[in-house]
Amino acid sequence: MLTIAVSKGRIYEEALPLLQEAGITPLDDPEKSRKLILRTTRDDVQLVIIRATDVPTFVEYGAADLGIAGKDVLLEHGAESLYEPLDLNIACCKLMTATHKDAPEIVGRVRVATKYVKTAQRYFAQRGIQAEIIKLYGSMELAPLVGLADCIVDLVDTGNTLKANGLEARDLIMNISSRLVVNKAAMKMKHQAIAALLEQFEQTLAQR
Ligand code: AMP
């Protein structure tokens, strides 16, 4: 049995066609079902539906053989413990700094609200900017509006969320897409099955 960890929402929706090309169609819809383990049209493949930030953890410990996770989440988790063989080119967006529309450019010390603490620390350190990072778990856009932080580090897709809150994107930190990650032991123990799946995904991606 191969277990693939995936999060609900955008990543699941965009991963579904890729999985289907490999003959993997879940027997339940995670948006409707409360099941956390989904059997699929392939007897040898099941999906576990978990929070995006938990995907690397499940794969690292071998609770899932494979996972689909955003590069943003993988950067925060630390990638050394996993193989990351494939960029699936789905759920694409940008990790950016953002602040008030008319705020001056950041110089000197800055307070940054984000859920990407390590990535933000690394980014500001590389640029020689002294940053105090405030960890938030959601609604980052609120932080500059209520004086909690000078700027935020968050994912931006259309920019509509920022715009609706009077903020604007400033610096691009990194282009983000979802990656296939593989447990290191599983890659050896279940090599044939995983290699076949990788090849299938690669073929589908090459045709796009
Ligand atoms: P948008 O308004 O289209 O710029 O989307 C921004 C909001 O969607 C922010 O709250 C982001 O955290 C979230 N978001 C955008 N792209 C992604 C993605 N690929 N994966 C997860 N969350 C995302």
Side-chain angles (χ1 to χ4, degrees):
M1 177 66 84
L2 279 184
T3 301
I4 306 175
V6 59
S7 56
K8 271 202 254 190
R10 196 180 309 221
I11 292 178
Y12 177 85
E13 280 158 28
E14 294 193 31
L16 203 53
L18 270 176
L19 293 167
Q20 278 170 338
E21 285 286 337
I24 303 164
T25 301
L27 299 183
D28 289 286
D29 177 355
E31 300 298 342
K32 293 187 185 131
S33 163
R34 284 168 185 264
K35 283 185 188 167
L36 300 175
I37 299 179
L38 303 185
R39 304 303 307 267
T40 72
T41 42
R42 268 180 58 172
D43 283 343
D44 62 333
V45 179
Q46 65 181 5
L47 305 187
V48 289
I49 306 297
I50 55 182
R51 280 182 75 111
T53 45
D54 289 334
V55 169
T57 308
F58 272 65
V59 176
E60 178 181 349
Y61 285 94
D65 303 298
L66 304 114
I68 298 174
K71 187 65 184 172
D72 52 321
V73 166
L74 295 172
L75 282 172
E76 275 300 295
H77 181 85
E80 320 75 45
S81 53
L82 306 165
Y83 288 128
E84 191 190 308
L86 213 52
D87 183 347
L88 300 175
N89 224 350
I90 57 171
C92 296
C93 57
K94 294 174 189 305
L95 186 67
M96 302 196 71
T97 65
T99 188
H100 278 289
K101 249 186 351 241
D102 30 45
E105 206 192 327
I106 294 163
V107 281
R109 197 175 162 76
V110 65
R111 270 168 83 171
V112 185
T114 187
K115 61 179 169 187
Y116 302 105
V117 172
K118 288 188 205 158
T119 310
Q121 253 156 4
R122 220 176 298 133
Y123 173 74
F124 286 103
Q126 276 166 2
R127 309 188 88 210
I129 296 172
Q130 249 201 321
E132 180 188 350
I133 312 286
I134 301 171
K135 165 99 185 180
L136 291 181
Y137 292 87
S139 303
M140 259 84 74
E141 298 82 10
L142 196 54
L145 303 180
V146 296
L148 178 61
D150 303 306
C151 70
I152 62 172
V153 166
D154 196 10
L155 298 180
V156 181
D157 183 13
T158 61
N160 289 341
T161 308
L162 293 177
K163 202 169 163 199
N165 290 294
L167 304 180
E168 69 179 12
R170 287 283 166 96
D171 298 324
L172 173 69
I173 298 179
M174 197 180 196
N175 286 308
I176 300 292
S177 56
S178 288
R179 314 297 168 98
L180 189 75
V181 288
V182 184
N183 173 268
K184 287 191 169 174
M187 190 70 123
K188 290 199 190 87
M189 310 287 285
K190 302 183 181 180
H191 186 262
Q192 228 179 343
I194 291 174
L197 201 57
L198 279 173
E199 205 181 304
Q200 181 73 64
F201 286 151
E202 274 168 359
Q203 269 177 24
T204 306
L205 292 170
Q207 283 161 11
R208 284 188 170 181

